[in-house]
Amino acid sequence: MMRIDIIAVVPDLLASPFSHSILKRASEKGLLHVNVIDLRQYGIGKYKQIDDYQYGGGAGMVLKPEPLAQAIRELSAKRAYDEVIYLTPDGELLNQSMANQLSLGKNLLLICGHYKGIDERIRQKYVTREISIGDYVLSGGELAAAVLVDAVGRLIPGVLNDESSALSDSFQDNLLAPPVYTRPAEFEGLEVPAILLSGHFAEIDKWRHAQSLERTRERRPDLMEED
Ligand code: ADE
């Protein structure tokens, strides 16, 4: 059983993503438990303040350190986290090999930022890893956390069955996946490649591999240059 705790500013954004399809099955099978914590409950004073103006001036609020520290300390007292991950556009770019690695962990704590981000001292003292889901800026870390949980959750051993095995996914071997077809054999004048109907599984494997190579060379040659 893997457990993922997520500290969120807008927990509602995380209400639905884990209740469908493969992640729903993962939770029903007892393989993944996702728990969302509302940062507001650790807010300061009567108004449960969680953000504040940034020192030095400049537009945009920053998440205050105390509520985050309190939440992280409370959660860390209950279980040991493999990683405390802050989702941020200036983090390490998420890729499939990171997802593979994270899926082997037991407990993960994810922190979602908002506005201009979180006080730098939280990053220094509590965060063990910083991850970006791409070179663009979201309005908060929640959707990024949902992406990370999806990418990691489906890789937890036992979550996927044979048919949906991760082994044939794009990126699993630094290659994009080949094209796929289902019935009917002819659709709007386009036919399924004959090889796929041939029943020659060794030939089909070869064809798929060749298609993967071609696709990757055309669309993402950068993948083929990686380690
Ligand atoms: N928060 C805002 N933008 C983000 C991104 N691209 N990746 C991760 N977290 C984010």
Side-chain angles (χ1 to χ4, degrees):
M1 156 76 83
M2 179 175 204
R3 181 187 172 103
I4 303 181
D5 291 303
I6 309 176
I7 299 174
V9 175
V10 190
D12 282 355
L13 283 172
L14 295 167
S16 157
F18 315 122
S19 337
H20 304 279
S21 181
I22 286 170
L23 293 189
K24 179 184 184 190
R25 192 144 40 86
S27 115
E28 284 169 356
K29 282 191 190 169
L31 296 170
L32 172 66
H33 181 66
V34 180
N35 173 45
V36 180
I37 298 105
D38 186 354
L39 181 62
R40 185 71 59 178
Q41 76 184 83
Y42 296 93
I44 298 170
K46 189 170 151 204
Y47 298 104
K48 298 284 174 198
Q49 186 186 5
I50 56 171
D51 59 349
D52 212 334
Y53 296 101
Q54 54 176 312
Y55 275 118
M61 307 291 273
V62 172
L63 291 183
K64 294 174 76 58
E66 306 95 316
L68 278 168
Q70 184 66 29
I72 296 167
R73 266 193 251 112
E74 235 173 69
L75 289 161
S76 303
K78 288 186 222 154
R79 56 187 58 80
Y81 290 100
D82 299 296
E83 300 275 12
V84 177
I85 298 170
Y86 173 45
L87 282 311
T88 174
D90 61 7
E92 201 186 341
L93 268 184
L94 179 63
N95 60 27
Q96 194 65 27
S97 77
M98 284 160 69
N100 281 336
Q101 190 214 331
L102 291 172
S103 74
L104 302 174
K106 176 135 185 56
N107 300 305
L108 295 178
L109 177 55
L110 309 186
I111 300 170
C112 305
H114 254 261
Y115 321 111
K116 282 290 152 188
I118 67 177
D119 189 285
E120 185 67 18
R121 293 162 292 185
I122 292 295
R123 300 171 69 159
Q124 291 171 339
K125 288 204 75 164
Y126 294 99
V127 170
T128 62
R129 194 149 186 188
E130 305 188 318
I131 296 178
S132 165
I133 65 158
D135 289 340
Y136 41 81
V137 177
L138 303 167
S139 37
E142 286 84 357
L143 296 180
V147 166
L148 181 65
V149 171
D150 190 298
V152 169
R154 61 192 291 286
L155 296 173
I156 296 170
V159 168
L160 295 182
N161 49 28
D162 275 355
E163 300 99 88
S164 50
S165 159
L167 292 175
S168 56
D169 286 345
S170 279
F171 305 113
Q172 212 49 265
D173 43 12
N174 272 343
L175 291 177
L176 301 180
V180 294
Y181 298 85
T182 185
R183 288 185 291 181
E186 194 243 287
F187 172 72
E188 298 191 354
L190 298 177
E191 284 180 2
V192 173
I195 179 79
L196 296 176
L197 309 176
S198 71
H200 294 125
F201 293 107
E203 291 302 308
I204 291 172
D205 277 349
K206 259 198 260 170
W207 180 86
R208 285 182 171 150
H209 187 63
Q211 291 284 317
S212 279
L213 286 171
E214 188 181 324
R215 246 186 202 195
T216 311
R217 203 177 309 113
E218 269 172 25
R219 300 179 182 205
R220 294 293 307 278
D222 57 297
L223 291 176
M224 302 178 103
E225 282 137 32
E226 274 176 24
D227 43 58

